[in-house]
Amino acid sequence: RSLVGSEMCIRDRLVLIWLPLLSVRRFMQEIFYRMQRQLKGGISMKKFRVHHILCTVLYRGEGYSGTFCDNMTQKVRELKADPEEPLMLVTDPDMICARCPNRTPDDTCVDDKNHVKSKDLELLELFGLKENQLYSYRELLQCAEKKLDKENFLKSCGPVSYTHLRAHETTL
């Protein structure tokens, strides 16, 4: 039996209504699945510091030490290879900080003012993001691109290094 005109219209309307909902449903299922795996110890959610949104874009293979650079190079490569992977946005040490020579056993910086956490909190507010929320690397980059201006960049990253400043100035 073939469909008549009105039956085809009903079918087409249902497809147009349900298709986007199915995509959202699949997305939510994937997030739920990943969270279940994380809770069961199957994978660990990658933590990502707020200020590393800027660091990973400007990173050129130089840094504090060889082990730090090796780790950061690998992490930047992973982020760029899968920019849609969910990341837990944090203001504490993350996967990049793992090999930082300035990290103390109590997860602060050798600078007793813990200026890095302050930087993270300022950028979190500037970008309008929420700590301990999941974002993709692509979403974080897009947010920074929309909301970061030169003044705020210099305020946040000015003390980091002249090399980083020069690299950013060419992209403003």
Side-chain angles (χ1 to χ4, degrees):
R1 168 177 185 262
S2 63
L3 297 175
V4 295
S6 61
E7 291 172 322
M8 287 189 292
C9 287
I10 292 169
R11 178 205 62 201
D12 292 346
R13 261 188 268 143
L14 288 175
V15 168
L16 290 173
I17 292 169
W18 284 103
L19 189 58
L21 293 176
L22 287 174
S23 297
V24 169
R25 184 169 184 237
R26 283 191 193 112
F27 174 75
M28 295 304 292
Q29 286 173 331
E30 177 65 19
I31 295 296
F32 181 74
Y33 174 72
R34 286 181 184 219
M35 289 174 72
Q36 276 186 317
R37 283 180 44 205
Q38 178 189 358
L39 291 173
K40 292 178 182 175
I43 61 169
S44 61
M45 182 62 62
K46 288 185 178 177
K47 293 181 179 181
F48 192 68
R49 273 194 110 134
V50 182
H51 81 269
H52 286 158
I53 299 167
L54 306 178
C55 296
T56 55
V57 172
L58 301 175
Y59 182 65
R60 301 288 183 257
E62 299 173 6
Y64 304 117
S65 68
T67 56
F68 174 82
C69 289
D70 292 344
N71 181 57
M72 180 133 177
T73 298
Q74 179 62 35
K75 299 307 177 193
V76 169
R77 194 175 292 135
E78 290 171 11
L79 290 166
K80 290 180 179 180
D82 187 6
E84 298 305 325
E85 179 182 10
L87 303 168
M88 176 74 67
L89 195 63
V90 297
T91 59
D92 294 310
D94 65 358
M95 61 187 179
I96 291 173
C97 299
R99 301 275 197 286
C100 181
N102 294 326
R103 183 177 175 183
T104 65
D106 65 343
D107 280 340
T108 60
C109 290
V110 291
D111 172 355
D112 63 344
K113 295 177 191 140
N114 204 10
H115 69 281
V116 179
K117 183 158 182 104
S118 300
K119 180 189 306 192
D120 286 328
L121 291 169
E122 288 172 7
L123 288 172
L124 194 66
E125 184 178 338
L126 175 68
F127 295 158
L129 299 169
K130 295 185 190 278
E131 187 173 10
N132 298 319
Q133 293 287 325
L134 296 178
Y135 298 94
S136 73
Y137 184 58
R138 184 182 318 278
E139 288 174 308
L140 295 171
L141 293 178
Q142 289 169 344
C143 182
E145 185 178 7
K146 287 178 191 170
K147 298 190 177 181
L148 187 70
D149 59 21
K150 190 172 184 175
E151 178 184 337
N152 283 308
F153 174 81
L154 292 172
K155 180 180 170 187
S156 178
C157 300
V160 174
S161 78
Y162 180 75
T163 305
H164 281 107
L165 290 174
R166 296 300 304 158
H168 188 72
E169 284 177 359
T170 62
T171 62
L172 282 179

